[in-house]
């Protein structure tokens, strides 16, 4: 299993310290740097943060886990994602999802009730733009060509439409919450849809979890703040935070047993020491 680490983009951290986090994560041999996405929240923009991380690193992969795709104008998203891919030497993977917060959509004047349609339209345009087709009028492409022809995608979501998008457009699937037990139930469903859709090989299968070793109370508070809009479910997320090295190691084993091929640990404490503590716990 590949083990990634999230950038602390939703936490109180200075920009230079965020870049230092990216450097340390690469030094400690994590597989990827992840971001989670919101508009109406004081977090760093996902693709901007990954562009900064790309400039400060040379090997570690970059992973939006996930980017709330319908919030973004498709042509601009095509240009920015192709740019980050090119600037990073082809290290970007896009985890994409439709989102579920009406206030995010209202803030950017995008129709919440049409988010599924917007998602499908955006996926179509992204692939056309990455292939070099003019998608904004005139005769020019809107961005550089991705290094490998297209930016790899992992699709988020568990509904039938999300499965259909995974099979049609993606290199695999990424799971938000739910824990290893939920992953063990979801993975066979994804693999079956993959085979029935005529896709070759095996899908990439990713998941995320939250951790914070230095201060359990602060970790729970950070998650309650970020997920407060979910009401009582925010307490369930906060209660699931991994607060010890032994629990982190056990979580890796449980997700591996469920068939997940990459697990990303997202931090709830922004101190740089948390990178080293996690590496010591889960990287051999």
């Amino acid at each position: 299993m590949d083990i990634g680490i999230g950038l602390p983009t939703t936490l109180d951290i200075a920009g230079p310290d965020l870049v230092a986090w990216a450097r340390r994560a690469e030094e400690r041999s994590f597989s990827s740097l992840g971001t989670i996405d919101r508009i109406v929240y004081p977090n760093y923009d996902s693709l901007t943060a990954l562009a900064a991380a790309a400039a400060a690193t040379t090997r570690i992969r970059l992973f939006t886990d996930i980017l709330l795709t319908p919030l973004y104008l498709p042509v601009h998203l095509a240009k920015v994602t192709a740019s980050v891919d090119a600037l990073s030497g082809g290290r970007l993977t896009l985890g994409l999802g439709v989102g579920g917060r009406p206030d995010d959509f209202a803030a950017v004047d995008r129709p919440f009730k049409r988010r599924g349609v917007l998602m499908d339209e955006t996926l179509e345009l992204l692939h056309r733009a990455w292939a070099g087709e003019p998608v904004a009028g005139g005769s020019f492409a809107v961005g550089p060509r991705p290094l490998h022809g297209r930016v790899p995608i992992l699709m988020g979501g568990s509904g039938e439409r999300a499965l259909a998008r995974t099979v049609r457009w993606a290199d695999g699937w990424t799971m938000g919450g739910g824990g290893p037990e939920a992953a063990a139930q979801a993975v066979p469903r994804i693999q079956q849809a993959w085979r029935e859709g005529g896709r070759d090989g095996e899908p990439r299968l990713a998941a995320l979890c939250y951790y914070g070793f230095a201060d359990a109370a602060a970790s729970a508070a950070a998650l309650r703040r970020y997920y407060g809009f979910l009401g009582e479910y925010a307490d369930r997320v906060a209660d699931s935070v991994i607060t010890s090295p032994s629990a982190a190691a056990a979580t890796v084993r449980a997700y591996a047993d469920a068939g997940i091929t990459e697990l990303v640990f997202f931090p709830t404490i922004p101190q740089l020491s948390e990178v080293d503590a996690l590496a010591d716990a889960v990287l051999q």
Side-chain angles (χ1 to χ4, degrees):
M1 173 191 280
D2 290 332
I3 299 176
I5 188 170
L7 284 168
T9 53
T10 65
L11 306 175
D12 185 13
I13 185 171
D17 294 334
L18 191 71
V19 173
W21 182 287
R23 290 195 188 98
R24 183 66 60 82
E26 179 168 85
E27 290 167 0
R28 293 306 307 264
S29 299
F30 285 99
S31 64
S32 60
L33 287 164
T35 57
I36 51 179
D37 201 32
R38 286 274 292 278
I39 296 294
V40 185
Y41 197 80
N43 57 306
Y44 287 85
D45 173 73
S46 294
L47 289 168
T48 304
L50 291 179
T57 60
T58 60
R59 300 182 308 278
I60 194 167
R61 297 198 305 269
L62 313 171
F63 183 21
T64 62
D65 193 27
I66 58 174
L67 191 75
L68 304 177
T69 310
L71 295 175
Y72 300 90
L73 294 176
V75 170
H76 187 243
L77 186 61
K79 190 179 193 76
V80 174
T81 54
S83 297
V84 175
D85 178 87
L87 290 166
S88 68
R91 289 185 282 146
L92 178 64
T93 293
L94 292 173
L96 302 179
V98 297
R101 282 184 58 99
D103 57 349
D104 279 340
F105 285 80
V108 295
D109 196 26
R110 301 281 279 172
F112 179 74
K113 292 184 178 179
R114 294 191 70 247
R115 63 194 186 279
V117 172
L118 294 174
M119 180 71 158
D120 293 330
E121 292 174 351
T122 300
L123 286 165
E124 178 81 36
L125 184 141
L126 288 176
H127 284 80
R128 289 173 51 215
W130 293 336
E133 296 181 24
V135 295
S139 57
F140 293 102
V142 298
R145 291 291 299 275
L147 190 66
H148 302 294
R150 57 184 289 278
V151 181
I153 290 173
L154 300 188
M155 198 65 62
S158 58
E160 291 302 319
R161 292 180 70 180
L163 284 180
R165 294 181 189 113
T166 300
V167 171
R168 181 178 180 187
W169 297 113
D171 301 88
W173 178 77
T174 183
M175 187 181 82
E181 297 81 6
Q185 295 179 12
V187 164
R189 185 170 169 235
I190 302 300
Q191 292 171 329
Q192 179 179 356
W194 192 261
R195 291 190 297 270
E196 292 177 351
R199 296 294 301 270
D200 295 330
E202 294 294 327
R204 290 172 59 182
L205 298 167
L208 67 80
C209 58
Y210 292 98
Y211 87 100
F213 295 159
D215 188 331
S219 293
L223 290 172
R224 288 192 178 95
R225 184 164 56 249
Y226 188 78
Y227 287 106
F229 71 96
L230 293 175
E232 292 182 359
Y233 185 75
D235 290 329
R236 292 175 57 188
V237 177
D239 291 341
S240 72
V241 65
I242 298 162
T243 58
S244 72
S246 60
T251 298
V252 169
R253 292 192 295 270
Y255 274 105
D257 289 344
I260 293 297
T261 57
E262 180 163 11
L263 178 63
V264 183
F265 284 82
F266 277 88
T268 56
I269 296 172
Q271 279 72 40
L272 194 59
S273 58
E274 291 286 297
V275 178
D276 289 318
L278 181 64
D280 291 342
V282 300
L283 299 180
Q284 304 298 324

